[in-house]
Amino acid sequence: MSDLPRKAVTRTAKLAALPLGIAGRATWGFGKRIVGESAELVGRELQQRTADQLFKVLGELKGGAMKFGQALSVFESALPEEVAGPYRAALTKLQEAAPPMPTRTVHAVLEERLGEGWHDLFLEFEDKPAAAASIGQVHRGVWHDGREVAVKVQYPGAGEALLSDLNQLSRFSRLLGPLIPGMDIKPLITELKDRVSEELDYGLEAQAQQAHAEEFADDPDVIVPQVVHQSDQVLITEWIDGIPLSEIISDGSQEQRDRAGQLLARFLFSGPARTGLLHADPHPGNFRLLPGGPDGEDDWRLGVLDFGTVDRLPGGLPSTIGESLRMTLDGEAEAVYELLCEEGFVKETIELDPEAVLDYLLPIIEPAEVEEFTFTRGWMRSQAARVADPRSPAYQLGKQLNLPPSYLLIHRVTLSTIGVLCQLGATVRLREELEEWLPGFLPEDPADGEEAVAEA
């Protein structure tokens, strides 16, 4: 294929064709119905054709269009099954692959950023990409010291393409909304735009990845590749093999699913506590399952990739999350409501019934109430339907709640991770991870306070 389409007019034309194509297929479907084909069969074929075109365009454009598709993909488990079926395969494709950048372009970027003798830095370099993502693609190589490495090369013009796509997709948000019923697409696109500059900065990504690599260096459960070299548009890290989480979702054993789910939950909550950073791009393409866990080669570890998007949380996750979660589980409606008001989840101009707020929250936090919980697509769909149905009390109350800006990314990452757990169908001891890593979830031990006073 040719280079990444960079001209705004070209990209806009491709994206603009999406809603037109959807309308055209609807007309085609109506014609099929007139000649007597069943509504169910026509509907399925229509959805499949729509999914194929949507993700073909997003994949070809890479940039913000593909980033948007990846962000949507983790919410697939919230779709009704009759809608999710046709989209699932197309969504999974986006999580792992996209059309490659031409070899001449890759070489040109490497020469510009690493120097004319860039080949001498490698004992081996594979021109065929091992993976492609929204703003860059990864090549496998062997560094001059013998280490196997992943060489991430940014697409030329990726920044302009990202912003162009997301601006265009924002205009189509109303038409794209039906992809995820009950989800407001526009704020998702706005947030992706806010993260563009960070994701394009491989220096920031290298810092975040190295901080995780050092913290998890001796961890028996999680492995993060060390950074080997970084310059503008090029990031070189240690290579890790393993089974992509998207393959575990489609073909993994239940043992692999459960282990992956447990480790994903552990990383979500332990990462901010240990590094002060929240890995904020939890789609399945960024995780691997590797043999060699605590119980030997038959056990599994979680490999974590791509630290281009992180939330900086120097004190770890806010204790408000743990405190409100604990008090909700304990049925303390008034205390929960007061805390939510203090943090801005309930605006000063709005007054709600604390018991109604508790009733709204309890089903969502069911996984934290029990010793272990099996995440399923059915459970996710029931939650999505409950808060998305305009006739339900949950929908009416949810409309009056507010999400403070400082919680936006935490909220999306948590929801996305739960979406992946539901795709895995994993049984997870979530409460165990919350007790270990989430500030405020366990009540303070009075003895701790007495010891602090005594030491003072």
Side-chain angles (χ1 to χ4, degrees):
M1 63 167 281
S2 61
D3 285 331
L4 170 67
R6 268 173 277 169
K7 290 183 180 177
V9 65
T10 304
R11 303 181 67 81
T12 299
K14 282 179 174 284
L15 287 167
L18 285 175
L20 293 174
I22 291 169
R25 276 185 298 282
T27 305
W28 166 86
F30 180 67
K32 299 273 278 189
R33 291 280 304 283
I34 287 176
V35 297
E37 293 200 23
S38 82
E40 184 179 3
L41 287 175
V42 172
R44 283 181 185 171
E45 191 172 349
L46 187 62
Q47 287 167 354
Q48 184 61 62
R49 287 178 177 224
T50 302
D52 287 345
Q53 188 210 0
L54 174 66
F55 294 107
K56 180 176 184 290
V57 170
L58 295 183
E60 283 176 352
L61 289 177
K62 304 185 177 82
M66 186 176 169
K67 176 60 67 180
F68 171 71
Q70 289 177 335
L72 280 184
S73 71
V74 297
F75 294 104
E76 169 264 323
S77 53
L79 291 167
E81 185 58 34
E82 64 273 15
V83 178
Y87 285 95
R88 193 167 291 143
L91 285 165
T92 302
K93 286 177 191 174
L94 261 189
Q95 290 166 351
E96 278 300 315
M101 179 166 41
T103 300
R104 68 177 184 278
T105 306
V106 175
H107 288 189
V109 173
L110 291 172
E111 182 173 326
E112 181 182 353
R113 299 305 177 186
L114 301 182
E116 289 186 8
W118 69 268
H119 265 297
D120 296 334
L121 296 172
F122 299 91
L123 298 179
E124 295 177 25
F125 182 86
E126 295 183 10
D127 284 333
K128 183 179 178 182
S134 52
I135 66 165
Q137 66 188 35
V138 178
H139 293 257
R140 191 167 186 168
V142 179
W143 195 237
H144 56 77
D145 62 7
R147 281 183 289 177
E148 282 194 86
V149 291
V151 184
K152 190 153 122 176
V153 183
Q154 193 173 115
Y155 303 126
E160 297 91 329
L162 267 167
L163 287 170
S164 170
D165 291 352
L166 292 171
N167 284 330
Q168 188 70 13
L169 283 164
S170 186
R171 298 188 190 107
F172 297 152
S173 59
R174 185 177 57 82
L175 290 162
L176 294 166
L179 288 172
I180 306 288
M183 179 182 172
D184 193 349
I185 296 292
K186 204 157 191 173
L188 174 63
I189 296 174
T190 300
E191 190 202 307
L192 290 173
K193 283 166 66 176
D194 290 343
R195 297 284 158 183
V196 165
S197 58
E198 282 191 22
E199 191 157 356
L200 291 166
D201 188 335
Y202 279 1
L204 285 175
E205 180 173 349
Q207 290 172 19
Q209 179 157 341
Q210 190 59 25
H212 280 84
E214 290 172 6
E215 174 60 37
F216 286 90
D218 299 316
D219 194 283
D221 298 314
V222 175
I223 181 168
V224 177
Q226 297 271 349
V227 174
V228 174
H229 181 82
Q230 179 269 321
S231 63
D232 287 348
Q233 293 185 293
V234 178
L235 176 60
I236 302 171
T237 64
E238 292 177 337
W239 179 273
I240 58 170
D241 283 305
I243 309 169
L245 220 58
S246 54
E247 289 183 22
I248 302 296
I249 287 171
S250 59
D251 302 311
S253 68
Q254 193 58 51
E255 180 189 4
Q256 289 173 321
R257 293 168 184 275
D258 292 345
R259 179 66 174 159
Q262 189 70 42
L263 295 182
L264 196 60
R266 184 166 302 163
F267 181 71
L268 167 67
F269 291 106
S270 70
R274 296 172 64 173
T275 66
L277 299 167
L278 173 68
H279 182 287
D281 194 8
H283 75 79
N286 286 338
F287 299 96
R288 301 284 185 269
L289 212 53
L290 297 86
D295 295 331
E297 284 302 304
D298 294 334
D299 198 5
W300 299 95
R301 293 179 295 167
L302 184 72
V304 185
L305 309 173
D306 199 337
F307 290 80
T309 308
V310 298
D311 201 4
R312 286 162 178 80
L313 304 168
L317 289 165
S319 60
T320 302
I321 297 174
E323 291 167 14
S324 58
L325 188 53
R326 167 173 49 84
M327 292 189 297
T328 301
L329 291 171
D330 291 342
E332 299 177 28
E334 293 287 348
V336 171
Y337 183 66
E338 186 178 331
L339 191 57
L340 293 179
C341 289
E342 286 175 6
E343 288 294 306
F345 287 91
V346 181
K347 291 183 177 179
E348 292 180 6
T349 54
I350 290 177
E351 191 170 329
L352 300 173
D353 175 10
E355 292 293 341
V357 173
L358 197 71
D359 290 342
Y360 173 85
L361 294 173
L362 277 170
I364 302 171
I365 64 171
E366 184 185 357
E369 192 173 7
V370 292
E371 190 173 326
E372 62 178 29
F373 184 83
T374 300
F375 290 86
T376 65
R377 287 186 166 97
W379 178 79
M380 186 75 163
R381 286 196 295 270
S382 70
Q383 293 302 319
R386 186 176 69 91
V387 299
D389 185 350
R391 298 165 297 180
S392 77
Y395 174 85
Q396 297 302 328
L397 190 143
K399 280 202 311 181
Q400 299 179 80
L401 292 174
N402 177 56
L403 187 60
S406 59
Y407 287 88
L408 267 172
L409 198 55
I410 296 171
H411 179 70
R412 183 170 75 80
V413 171
T414 305
L415 277 184
S416 299
T417 303
I418 290 172
V420 176
L421 294 178
C422 291
Q423 289 177 328
L424 283 165
T427 298
V428 176
R429 301 180 306 282
L430 184 64
R431 190 180 180 96
E432 179 182 303
E433 305 301 339
L434 297 175
E435 290 177 350
E436 176 75 19
W437 301 110
L438 184 60
F441 185 70
L442 287 178
E444 284 189 20
D445 187 342
D448 293 340
E450 290 169 10
E451 287 175 16
V453 170
E455 287 174 9

